Amino acid sequence: MSLKTPVTIFLLIAVAGLAAFPHFSDEFYLEFFTHLMVMGIFAMSLDLLIGYTGLVSFGHAAFFGLAGYLLAIVTPQDEAVALWLSLPVCLAGAALAALVIGWFSVRTSGIYFIMITLAFAQMLFYYFNENEALGGSDGIFIFSKPFVGFGDWQIIDLANPTTVYYFVLASLVVCYLLLTVMLRAPFGQVIQAIRANEHRTRALGYDTQRYKLVAFVIAGTMAGFAGYLEAVSTGIVSPGHLHWHNSGLVMMHVILGGMGTLYGPILGAFILGLLHDQVQEVTEHWHLVQGVFVIFVVLFLPRGIAGLVGRLFGRARDLDTEETRVADDDEHKVGAEPNGERTK
Amino acid sequence: MIEPILTTRDLSKSFGGLVAVNNVTLDFAPGRVHAIIGPNGAGKTTLINLLSGDLPPSGGSITFKGRNITRLPAFEISRIGLGRSYQKTNIFPQFTCFQNCWLGAQSRLETSMKFFRPAAAYAEVHARAERALDLCGLTHRRDLPPAQISHGEQRQLEIGMMLATEPEVFLLDEPLAGMGPQESEAVVRLLNDLARDHTLILIEHDMDAVFAVADLLTVMVDGRVLATGTPEEIRSNAEVQDAYLGSGEGKA
Ligand SMILES: Nc1ncnc2c1ncn2[C@@H]1O[C@H](COP(=O)(O)OP(=O)(O)OP(=O)(O)O)[C@@H](O)[C@H]1O
Ligand SMILES: [Mg+2]
């Protein structure tokens, strides 16, 4: 990723802004922004499926909620569980669920893929919703935050909202960079080819089913990571985390934010979340406003909010050298061009 | 007699009641250009689809180098060395010409389940993609998306992607369809070059091109093999004259 590209500059400014934010913010907004960043990770993971592989999953909340519940399950009543222990367990649980659900789902496509992912997620929702041992429809509290440290020496205090904020911010950046690297590696080239033309991708010698399954597992694991962070920061997990409303919400973040870019879904999570927060204060009719917003974006910003950012920040592109041609609104969607040039 | 590299035995495919390929038994000799001709709807494309694994046969078997590949999925068939091009251009519209070839070239890595090293760092893939682009004559169109090149050039790209996978056997479904005379000539030259150390199975309606490159011809009609022979034999075959060549040289 070249520092010359305008979008990168935009992202660096955004990260700097987020890093400075706790100095100006009250506790409410600190926790709210933590939540928005978590949703950003969640949305990014879904975009790996929708925007890059072409798999429209409508059950992505399953992994988000499952990892949260796993944390609640492995956390003892009045004792903290080590992060080194609980995080791998929760991620493995989400990955396993994604492997099973994905194994069935990637055999289908289009509307059937949407339905089967939705069905699996709703099954998990009802399981947790009816499970009284896990709080049923009320959900379950996690009283002690995971412990980060060795022995008695605590490195990071996840009970402190500011610390959690920075922990989540760092996670967001790491997830972004991991996905960026992956999308430029051979694997990323293949999944983008699948989205463009799966038939030809298979004919060229790629076992597209396998690549789709692996993408599904990676996305599910990352969604689980987001769910883990949500559970850590809020201290509560409820069946709502797995509900199709949540799957739909994150899908809205991806689509409004801009499919096929990694920062678009994060922007989507922030803008929709902030809009919700602001509108809530003046009117009860949030869903009406949301509807109008969705219609506006779909009609006037076909490439989502990210497309707008790309246009604003990428204006100087044409005058620039070839390298800056990447400076588009979706710099990661390089297709198969390994040195970053792309189709315009 | 030379051991055939690819054989079909009683290969059949039906779509509902329609038998598109009917008990086709053929041997394809290594290093030869074997053309398959026949009127529209004869089942030529369907035969290629069976050979490439795009469609599962309804009956019969396919053997490649002594190995039964009848039920192998398309991606495996590609990986063992059978590459194909499509009659109906089948490319990646969002990607540049180079990127299209890149995907073919990258498929020859042992696996693409590689998550960290940038694709650009695979020099051998790069070289393969550039070579394919050069062979199909699109180096000057390298960074353009298919929408910005001519129809004939898209047909060249179709061939380039197949070249990038470096197959041993080429299954070419009407490579010249939709090309202008100059492009056609260049592709015929390319086919002649490839024929030196590859096996080509060529479907083509352009009879001049067929007679210019083919060592052997098979005529298909209504899903069946009507005759197989050298170009001279086919030209003088009365049955073929009746069924196909006589009736106005097939399709233009
Ligand atoms: N997927 C399919 N489903 C149903 N029928 C099909 C399918 N593919 C081909 N057919 C039918 O099978 C027959 C053979 O078609 P095919 O495309 O193999 O002919 P062809 O020899 O390639 O013709 P052309 O010269 O026009 O390309 C035709 O009648 C066609 O309509
Ligand atoms: Mg055909």
Side-chain angles (χ1 to χ4, degrees):
Chain A
M1 183 163 35
S2 159
L3 291 184
K4 278 205 297 192
T5 73
V7 170
T8 310
I9 293 168
F10 166 77
L11 292 178
L12 288 176
I13 294 171
V15 170
L18 284 173
F21 183 72
H23 297 289
F24 310 106
S25 161
D26 61 16
E27 185 151 331
F28 172 80
Y29 276 102
L30 190 74
E31 288 178 358
F32 184 50
F33 268 53
T34 305
H35 168 70
L36 292 180
M37 290 189 292
V38 167
M39 291 307 283
I41 296 175
F42 187 24
M44 222 170 17
S45 73
L46 180 60
D47 193 29
L48 181 66
L49 297 181
I50 297 184
Y52 289 98
T53 319
L55 296 172
V56 182
S57 168
F58 199 5
H60 211 50
F63 314 112
F64 183 85
L66 180 66
Y69 268 106
L70 285 174
L71 177 62
I73 291 167
V74 299
T75 304
Q77 266 299 323
D78 39 30
E79 211 185 319
V81 62
L83 180 113
W84 316 131
L85 192 71
S86 58
L87 183 58
V89 167
C90 295
L91 294 188
L96 189 67
L99 185 65
V100 173
I101 296 175
W103 193 85
F104 290 102
S105 309
V106 298
R107 267 143 239 280
T108 66
S109 61
I111 194 81
Y112 299 100
F113 184 87
I114 297 176
M115 293 312 291
I116 198 169
T117 47
L118 173 64
F120 271 113
Q122 284 302 93
M123 270 162 58
L124 278 175
F125 165 78
Y126 282 112
Y127 172 76
F128 287 107
N129 199 47
E130 316 286 293
N131 191 325
E132 292 307 326
L134 292 171
S137 58
D138 293 334
I140 185 168
F141 285 102
I142 298 163
F143 290 107
S144 331
K145 310 282 179 174
F147 179 81
V148 189
F150 301 100
D152 289 337
W153 176 46
Q154 192 176 42
I155 302 171
I156 297 173
D157 178 14
L158 290 180
N160 177 331
T162 309
T163 313
V164 173
Y165 177 93
Y166 283 111
F167 189 76
V168 171
L169 174 58
S171 302
L172 178 68
V173 171
V174 167
C175 286
Y176 181 91
L177 294 177
L178 272 178
L179 288 179
T180 302
V181 167
M182 202 179 78
L183 286 168
R184 297 198 166 174
F187 176 79
Q189 307 293 315
V190 176
I191 60 171
Q192 291 174 75
I194 289 174
R195 175 166 191 247
N197 184 346
E198 180 174 358
H199 173 220
R200 187 57 188 251
T201 308
R202 193 172 26 240
L204 286 177
Y206 299 101
D207 184 354
T208 53
Q209 213 87 283
R210 283 244 323 260
Y211 287 90
K212 288 198 287 185
L213 180 57
V214 171
F216 198 84
V217 170
I218 293 171
T221 309
M222 194 170 276
F225 182 50
Y228 179 92
L229 293 174
E230 179 78 356
V232 167
S233 58
T234 62
I236 182 169
V237 194
S238 73
H241 284 188
L242 301 104
H243 198 260
W244 68 266
H245 278 170
N246 203 23
S247 295
L249 180 67
V250 70
M251 193 186 282
M252 207 144 30
H253 293 160
V254 172
I255 295 169
L256 296 184
M259 292 180 282
T261 72
L262 289 177
Y263 63 92
I266 305 174
L267 283 178
F270 266 84
I271 290 175
L272 220 57
L274 286 169
L275 198 64
H276 184 188
D277 174 65
Q278 293 302 309
V279 170
Q280 225 174 11
E281 296 189 355
V282 288
T283 164
E284 284 175 17
H285 305 295
W286 158 240
H287 287 289
L288 186 69
V289 177
Q290 187 186 39
V292 170
F293 182 68
V294 170
I295 292 167
F296 173 81
V297 173
V298 169
L299 285 183
F300 299 106
L301 301 173
R303 308 175 79 180
I305 299 160
L308 187 66
V309 173
R311 241 182 290 165
L312 294 178
F313 281 77
R315 192 150 279 167
R317 179 176 65 232
D318 296 338
L319 308 170
D320 251 316
T321 57
E322 194 169 45
E323 194 189 355
T324 20
R325 273 185 40 214
V326 211
D328 204 325
D329 36 75
D330 47 0
E331 66 190 73
H332 303 290
K333 200 173 166 188
V334 292
E337 173 57 66
N339 45 39
E341 293 159 46
R342 54 175 300 270
T343 307
K344 180 60 221 151
Chain B
M1 204 200 129
I2 345 160
E3 190 72 14
I5 187 167
L6 185 69
T7 65
T8 71
R9 291 288 171 265
D10 298 323
L11 196 62
S12 298
K13 178 72 188 180
S14 28
F15 299 109
L18 177 87
V19 186
V21 171
N22 195 350
N23 283 311
V24 168
T25 294
L26 283 172
D27 288 335
F28 299 99
R32 295 293 170 81
V33 179
H34 192 142
I36 297 172
I37 60 172
N40 294 122
K44 307 180 296 292
T45 296
T46 305
L47 176 64
I48 294 280
N49 282 337
L50 297 178
L51 294 175
S52 70
D54 279 49
L55 289 174
S58 315
S61 67
I62 308 165
T63 316
F64 176 62
K65 291 180 166 176
R67 174 181 174 195
N68 185 335
I69 61 163
T70 314
R71 298 275 154 197
L72 232 47
F75 72 89
E76 293 250 21
I77 290 187
S78 162
R79 295 189 71 87
I80 60 176
L82 283 129
R84 75 165 291 183
S85 73
Y86 289 84
Q87 177 177 1
K88 191 166 163 287
T89 307
N90 187 1
I91 51 189
F92 298 95
Q94 296 93 326
F95 301 162
T96 63
C97 292
F98 178 72
Q99 290 169 336
N100 271 276
C101 290
W102 173 276
L103 283 165
Q106 187 187 298
S107 73
R108 299 305 108 168
L109 290 177
E110 197 166 322
T111 169
S112 284
M113 287 285 178
K114 295 170 187 282
F115 302 91
F116 298 107
R117 192 167 160 221
Y122 293 80
E124 79 278 18
V125 177
H126 217 281
R128 241 191 326 265
E130 295 283 10
R131 195 158 53 235
L133 205 57
D134 181 42
L135 280 175
C136 75
L138 286 179
T139 304
H140 63 299
R141 295 284 186 252
R142 187 180 186 281
D143 297 320
L144 291 180
Q148 290 177 30
I149 62 178
S150 73
H151 180 68
E153 286 170 330
Q154 290 181 21
R155 300 293 304 150
Q156 286 168 262
L157 182 58
E158 176 67 45
I159 298 171
M161 291 172 71
M162 173 190 52
L163 291 170
T165 66
E166 301 193 333
E168 216 172 317
V169 177
F170 290 83
L171 309 170
L172 296 133
D173 195 353
E174 299 199 25
L176 304 179
M179 282 189 184
Q182 275 181 353
E183 293 158 332
S184 268
E185 207 179 298
V187 171
V188 168
R189 232 177 300 129
L190 170 65
L191 295 182
N192 270 320
D193 282 348
L194 291 173
R196 268 190 247 128
D197 37 17
H198 296 90
T199 308
L200 270 61
I201 298 172
L202 171 70
I203 296 178
E204 191 46 67
H205 278 299
D206 180 338
M207 285 306 144
D208 294 337
V210 168
F211 286 113
V213 297
D215 300 308
L216 214 60
L217 253 73
T218 289
V219 183
M220 273 182 82
V221 176
D222 289 336
R224 256 190 297 265
V225 172
L226 187 68
T228 295
T230 63
E232 293 73 39
E233 288 166 356
I234 294 299
R235 240 197 270 256
S236 54
N237 184 312
E239 222 180 339
V240 175
Q241 294 288 342
D242 278 356
Y244 184 48
L245 291 179
S247 57
E249 291 274 294
K251 189 178 75 175

